[in-house]
Amino acid sequence: MWDDAFPSFLIGLREGLEAGLIVSVLVATLVRAGARSRLPQVWTGVLAAIALSMSFGAVLTFTAASLSATAQEAFGGTLSIVAVAFVTAMVFWMRRSARGFAGEIKEKVTEALAMGAGVLVLTSFLAVGREGLETALFLWTTARAANESAGPLTGAGIGLVLAAALCWGLYRRVLRINLTRFFTATGVVLIVIAAGVLGYGLRDLQEGTVLPGGTAYAFDLSGSVDGGAWYSALLQGVLNLTPAMTWLQVAGYAGYLAVVMTLFVRGVRGVRGTREQSGAGVPARAGAGAGADEAVAGGKRADAPPAVPSVTPPAAPPPTAERPAAPPSAPTTATTRRPAWLIPVAVVVVPALLAGLVVTLSHPKPAAGETVAVSETDCGRGFTAPEPGRQDFLMHNTGNQTSEVYLIDPSSNAVYGEIEGLAPGTTRDLVATVAGGTYAWRCVPADGRAVTSKAVRVGGATGAHAVVPVSERDLAAPLKAYRAYVDRGLATLVTQTRKLSDDIRAGRLGTARADWLTAHRTYASLGAAYGTFEYFDQKIDGRPDGLPGGVHDRDFTGFLRIEYGLWHGEPTSQLKGLAQQLAEDSAGLRKAFPHQDFDSSDLPLRAHEILENTLQFELTGDTDQGSGTGLATADANLAGTRELLVVLKPLLTTRAPRLLPTIDADIARLQKLLDSAHHGTGWTPVDRLDRTAKARLDGATGQLLEDLSPVPDLLEVRKSA
């Protein structure tokens, strides 16, 4: 998370400091001018700017979410380019303006004081709002590049808090900072980060088919570089350098860095040269046009209230200057005062309402669709070519059988949307995104042949996401390969459980503990076949949950019961019968397995469920009966998941080519964390992990589960006949 947090931390610190300095100068000018009563107007403008910035971030987030996958890439890439432009302009502007920063703001405040309350609110709003909008845009871009929001938001939050603390210290003259040097140093780092954002944005535009060259790679090190290693995460999180980059990405990255960094460095040297020529030997005087950096270092005047230095207060106006007294003959009229809370509430509510309106308009309700008939003889009656966009089809089963309904591309059988188990006489919504292409309905009754409707053509650009269906024939080869893997594992298990039984019978309990772990890991690595093992799984690896006698219940047998006895000092006489039974059950399972019904659709489901159970049981210590080897079992479960993905790889590669590299990086990250808990023949018990290590382990497992979650949908067997 922290590698993703650094760029946002830096932008939060810089933008926060800029906005904070503006507010500090505004406040200082008003205080010195004797106009403290106008301070609420400044804070109202600041509040409005914050509300607008947060609303802008919400609009970006929810607007992008309503787009198709291709459009999201194009939208994100475009905004990445815009963010780079804003950051670049900000870096050069602050380098140029840092020295006269306070004087410029003071002039604007002085003008606002003379023009009224509304202008002062507008001045603070515009000054802070610009920084807020830039921050929101850059944060959205970095969060999208990182594929998560926790790191970027945390980094930005820390940067903003630190910026607020620095501004308070400068206002109170507790701190002294050379702002020119600060903005120069952070500007160099931001240019490097912006180059990475530009490269990422160009890649998004290529994937969104806006720019060409999406498959023209300058290099591809994904096969030799560990994507889950710390250095890979650091380079990708901070610099957006990935193991594989196209020629356009490399050209954009290197070209931007070379041109912009050269101009920035030359500009810094030019500013320094000008300072040396014009100010050599002349000490800067606070309040006489000196730069903000020198002024901040000045001493505190005893006769002035705390304020940001270099701000010369305007002469205090006479008491009557701000509000002339009414003539004595003027009648006194009662004035109605607005509640003090009205304007602050309004400046927060109005941007939020506008953002909600924009989000609502960007998420239009699916076009109220036509009612489409579903039956075993007439599928798709009432279906006409819809308009492109999100459509709400009302599927009404007019037949006598429960049916599955698919919206398909008839040329490839790719599925755009589906309803399972549509009962007779019922109507359900099917919402799908329609783009340019050919569409038809396929109805598959519970007892009968599939019926496909007449195809319709929708004009416009392509881009709707569809899943190419998988048949049982497609899964036949992976199933055969996995069955062979399980058969070999069961043969090994039989040998290992017999050795465990012999050790316990001979009283070699120390050796039995090591053999127990070896055998248990072998069984745990066969996770995708558990549903096939029928009652053998409960006998071999059942938990005591729900048994009347708990761990001492007569029906509690297998690995976990023996684990309890071995690590709780039970005598050999109590364990040898349990060990003999485990060996017999293992042999019985091996004999029965070739004749057991192994549903091919179990393979995609288990790709996610194995580690889901690991997170629920092993990583919580729920299954630990005293050995403290939950992480060893988790390691075996990970090995089983990896083996399962090997046999599913051909099907996944053709349907989601970018998914497996991501999953491989997740597996490598989780494997590294598990290896760090393995010491020789021992494993760190889950309950002895420190909080950070446990959080990392849970986080890596959760991320892997999230990336594995599309596998069951991608490889679901859908009826076609």
Side-chain angles (χ1 to χ4, degrees):
M1 182 180 75
W2 294 110
D3 47 293
D4 295 326
F6 178 73
S8 299
F9 163 77
L10 193 61
I11 199 71
L13 178 61
R14 271 191 63 112
E15 298 283 7
L17 190 57
E18 289 181 32
L21 288 173
I22 291 171
V23 174
S24 298
V25 174
L26 289 172
V27 172
T29 304
L30 291 176
V31 170
R32 290 191 175 189
R36 288 180 178 270
S37 62
R38 309 289 290 275
L39 288 179
Q41 298 162 14
V42 172
W43 296 120
T44 298
V46 171
L47 190 63
I50 294 173
L52 178 66
S53 303
M54 295 180 69
S55 300
F56 179 59
V59 168
L60 290 178
T61 301
F62 292 106
T63 300
S66 68
L67 302 175
S68 66
T70 302
Q72 283 188 33
E73 300 291 351
F75 181 73
T78 301
L79 288 186
S80 295
I81 306 300
V82 173
V84 170
F86 277 144
V87 170
T88 306
M90 176 263 292
V91 165
F92 279 89
W93 176 80
M94 204 60 198
R95 185 208 65 195
R96 183 177 62 253
S97 305
R99 290 181 54 76
F101 183 76
E104 180 182 342
I105 298 299
K106 185 194 72 174
E107 292 177 5
K108 292 181 179 180
V109 176
T110 303
E111 295 173 1
L113 278 172
M115 297 179 68
V119 178
L120 188 57
V121 172
L122 184 62
T123 299
S124 59
F125 169 75
L126 292 177
V128 179
R130 186 192 67 176
E131 317 299 337
L133 292 176
E134 290 177 356
T135 303
L137 177 58
F138 195 83
L139 276 181
W140 184 87
T141 303
T142 53
R144 191 172 186 277
N147 287 319
E148 58 103 8
S149 57
L153 289 178
T154 301
I158 295 174
L160 290 171
V161 170
L162 180 58
L166 289 174
C167 289
W168 181 87
L170 292 172
Y171 179 80
R172 304 298 302 179
R173 294 194 183 178
V174 175
L175 298 177
R176 299 178 180 181
I177 294 179
N178 187 311
L179 295 179
T180 300
R181 292 181 180 177
F182 172 82
F183 286 118
T184 298
T186 56
V188 170
V189 180
L190 274 179
I191 289 172
V192 176
I193 292 173
V197 174
L198 176 62
Y200 176 84
L202 292 174
R203 180 58 180 164
D204 271 357
L205 290 176
Q206 288 178 318
E207 293 178 349
T209 68
V210 176
L211 295 176
T215 58
Y217 287 97
F219 57 86
D220 187 353
L221 306 177
S222 55
S224 55
V225 174
D226 180 6
W230 67 268
Y231 53 83
S232 297
L234 183 65
L235 289 174
Q236 186 164 346
V238 177
L239 304 180
N240 271 303
L241 291 175
T242 58
M245 296 182 70
T246 64
W247 282 107
L248 181 60
Q249 282 184 280
V250 173
Y253 188 100
Y256 173 89
L257 197 59
V259 173
V260 177
M261 188 67 79
T262 300
L263 293 175
F264 185 78
V265 172
R266 285 181 179 177
V268 171
R269 290 175 179 174
V271 171
R272 288 177 179 173
T274 303
R275 289 173 60 185
E276 291 172 358
Q277 292 175 10
S278 62
V282 180
R285 293 184 295 113
D293 50 337
E294 290 93 343
V296 168
K300 182 177 180 180
R301 285 171 34 190
D303 59 342
V308 170
S310 84
V311 178
T312 304
T320 58
E322 189 172 339
R323 184 176 296 175
S329 59
T332 302
T333 58
T335 59
T336 304
R337 295 177 59 87
R338 286 192 301 266
W341 52 265
L342 181 61
I343 294 180
V345 169
V347 300
V348 173
V349 171
V350 170
L353 290 176
L354 291 175
L357 179 63
V358 172
V359 171
T360 301
L361 293 177
S362 69
H363 286 72
K365 292 183 178 180
E370 43 205 34
T371 298
V372 180
V374 175
S375 75
E376 54 269 26
T377 58
D378 187 10
C379 180
R381 181 164 46 86
F383 179 49
T384 57
E387 294 294 325
R390 295 179 75 229
Q391 301 290 332
D392 184 2
F393 300 101
L394 304 178
M395 311 307 299
H396 179 62
N397 191 340
T398 59
N400 299 318
Q401 295 187 36
T402 299
S403 295
E404 294 186 3
V405 187
Y406 305 110
L407 179 62
I408 65 169
D409 178 348
S411 62
S412 64
N413 289 324
V415 177
Y416 293 96
E418 63 184 300
I419 293 178
E420 296 182 354
L422 182 62
T426 60
T427 301
R428 285 164 60 184
D429 289 347
L430 189 153
V431 178
T433 299
V434 175
T438 305
Y439 297 84
W441 292 103
R442 176 167 293 158
C443 306
V444 186
D447 297 314
R449 296 184 59 83
V451 181
T452 303
S453 73
K454 179 182 177 181
V456 299
R457 178 74 186 175
V458 176
T462 60
H465 179 68
V467 175
V468 179
V470 173
S471 66
E472 292 189 3
R473 178 180 297 179
D474 294 326
L475 286 170
L479 180 60
K480 182 179 179 181
Y482 195 78
R483 287 189 73 108
Y485 163 76
V486 174
D487 194 60
R488 292 192 300 271
L490 290 176
T492 302
L493 179 68
V494 170
T495 301
Q496 292 171 344
T497 53
R498 284 175 179 169
K499 187 174 185 303
L500 172 62
S501 179
D502 292 342
D503 289 336
I504 291 178
R505 186 183 298 108
R508 298 188 295 267
L509 299 187
T511 304
R513 294 187 183 94
D515 290 341
W516 174 90
L517 180 58
T518 300
H520 190 234
R521 282 169 54 82
T522 297
Y523 185 78
S525 67
L526 309 177
Y530 288 171
T532 305
F533 291 164
E534 298 174 349
Y535 63 90
F536 281 106
D537 182 52
Q538 179 62 32
K539 296 172 68 176
I540 292 174
D541 203 37
R543 298 188 299 274
D545 304 354
L547 296 178
V551 294
H552 299 292
D553 195 280
R554 60 181 298 177
D555 291 330
F556 181 36
T557 61
F559 278 111
L560 299 188
R561 176 62 182 90
I562 296 173
E563 176 189 6
Y564 180 86
L566 285 173
W567 273 271
H568 284 82
E570 290 187 352
T572 301
S573 58
Q574 287 184 243
L575 295 176
K576 61 182 180 181
L578 293 168
Q580 178 63 31
Q581 182 181 350
L582 175 61
E584 292 174 357
D585 290 337
S586 299
L589 174 58
R590 187 197 176 191
K591 183 178 179 180
F593 178 68
H595 310 289
Q596 290 176 331
D597 183 20
F598 199 150
D599 190 344
S600 58
S601 63
D602 279 356
L603 292 180
L605 290 173
R606 302 302 180 205
H608 183 268
E609 289 180 353
I610 294 173
L611 290 176
E612 192 173 49
N613 290 337
T614 301
L615 186 63
Q616 181 180 1
F617 299 116
E618 274 70 41
L619 296 187
T620 59
D622 184 73
T623 56
D624 184 15
Q625 300 298 323
S627 67
T629 58
L631 296 185
T633 306
D635 182 73
N637 289 338
L638 184 62
T641 301
R642 188 185 290 111
E643 182 67 28
L644 180 57
L645 291 172
V646 168
V647 302
L648 294 176
K649 183 176 181 178
L651 296 176
L652 289 172
T653 301
T654 58
R655 288 165 174 79
R658 298 178 60 187
L659 181 61
L660 278 178
T662 301
I663 291 174
D664 288 341
D666 292 341
I667 289 177
R669 184 181 301 114
L670 179 56
Q671 186 67 67
K672 185 175 181 180
L673 292 172
L674 290 171
D675 289 345
S676 67
H678 188 196
H679 315 287
T681 59
W683 292 78
T684 303
V686 171
D687 59 1
R688 294 185 187 176
L689 291 171
D690 63 68
R691 183 177 300 178
T692 301
K694 182 63 166 60
R696 288 176 178 171
L697 196 60
D698 289 344
T701 307
Q703 182 62 55
L704 176 54
L705 279 171
E706 183 176 341
D707 291 331
L708 283 170
S709 61
V711 173
D713 289 333
L714 288 170
L715 303 184
E716 180 183 354
V717 176
R718 293 175 169 87
K719 296 180 181 179
S720 59

